[in-house]
Amino acid sequence: MQIHDKPNILIIYTGGTIGMIENPITGALENFGLDRFREIVPEMQQFDYNIEALAMDPLIDSSDMEPRHWTEIAHIIADSYERFDGFVILHGTDTMAYTASALSFMLENVGKPVILTGSQLPIGKLRTDGKENLLTSIEIAAARNEEGRPMVPEVCIYFDSRLMRGNRTTKVNAEGFNAFRSFNYPSLAHAGISIKYEPHLIIRTDEKKPFKPHFKLDDHVILLTLFPGIRREYVETVLGMKGLKAVVLKTYGSGNAPQRPWLADMLQRLSDQGIIVVNNTQCYKGTVEMHRYETGLQLLQAGVCNGFDSTIESSVTKLMLLLGEGYPVEKIHRLMNENMIGEISIGPIATNIPPYNPLS
Ligand code: ASP
């Protein structure tokens, strides 16, 4: 893996609020072109880095983000991996946690920082949070440790002074600047007067393992949220989707569901058909423990897979990747129960990561 003396940073601009400016005639918010970025953020020139930027065409609101866009971003990173030391992805906040999760699985053994950021207020607005988010993300993407290696060789979201593991984040705020939280894993760094990194929490990639990007995703995955009064016909309709391969079941508390024989039967049938069902709690913090109550045990007995303390974004995108790889069902089951890239709190993924208690 090549590291350059002067950090080379690539900014990948996908769209979202951060790149918007008010049209002086209509007053509407519109995306401005890449050429105007340096003019709007002249501070960028003060970095002693080589900064290049490219924009996705067309720029999109992140509500329009789809798996094919993740493949496009993964290709951009893979194609320029040796030329650059760090990547900053400017992205709308709405689906940023999904993109960060997807990329964390797609960019296997990434040895360089991939930092996603955006803003709640357009960068062209006076009180914008976009400038700080962008400038600090660039600094993090270029940061090196005492050995001269990248400080944060993983896919992260930087937002409102916190650097978080990408596949642990969720958008929680549509109003305040603190749009993201990582409930089940601590922040990897905090930016104040200086940027304080937590090296013991950051993934150390094994440099002997080559960077291996994956580009195929399979979107035959659905989310099913339980709620009191959920009707059998509703569940039947959703689970009857043509081509269904995997379900993320959003259960209560520590992974519990109503004790209805029809529900257990339906889940058992899915399992018999080789359709994977993953148990994810509707709670933000804490983990799934299906053996804790009878209401959870019935799911375990019906062949449901444990989602542990994974975010919904992480479970959905991990399934898309594993299905895209075309793995047999047993292997997908096994990998869903393994910590692939720091997305769940079981088994350390690298020797320097201490066991983390999500309930503390
Ligand atoms: N709708 C916007 C987007 O996600 C919101 C934002 O960027 O904050 O693209």
Side-chain angles (χ1 to χ4, degrees), residues 100-111:
S101 300
L103 290 176
S104 76
F105 299 116
M106 296 169 84
L107 305 175
E108 188 180 343
N109 296 326
V110 71

Side-chain angles (χ1 to χ4, degrees), residues 179-193:
F180 293 91
R181 277 290 172 271
S182 163
F183 289 100
N184 288 323
Y185 198 77
S187 298
L188 308 181
H190 283 96
I193 289 174

Side-chain angles (χ1 to χ4, degrees), residues 31 45 79 97 103 116 121 193 204 219 247 258 271 282 286 340:
N31 277 111
Q45 278 146 37
D79 293 347
L103 290 176
L116 288 98
L121 268 181
I193 289 174
R204 282 279 135 246
D219 60 4
V247 181
S271 167
Q282 292 176 27
M340 278 173 61

Side-chain angles (χ1 to χ4, degrees), residues 279-331:
N279 186 344
N280 260 86
T281 172
Q282 292 176 27
C283 299
Y284 285 124
K285 196 166 162 66
T287 192
V288 165
E289 290 176 282
M290 286 190 271
H291 52 272
R292 206 150 138 194
Y293 298 96
E294 271 185 3
T295 44
L297 193 61
Q298 52 158 356
L299 301 181
L300 191 64
Q301 286 161 346
V304 171
C305 193
N306 196 338
F308 297 97
D309 61 346
S310 165
T311 61
I312 299 299
E313 293 86 337
S314 169
S315 279
V316 168
T317 55
K318 185 173 173 179
L319 282 166
M320 285 184 178
L321 179 113
L322 298 176
L323 291 167
E325 288 294 301
Y327 292 144
V329 176
E330 303 70 44
K331 182 162 178 181

Side-chain angles (χ1 to χ4, degrees), residues 15-18 60-63 91-95 119-120 171:
T17 299
I18 189 163
I60 56 169
D61 183 295
S62 78
S63 304
H91 197 290
T93 56
D94 290 348
T95 61
S119 68
Q120 294 283 64
K171 182 172 178 183

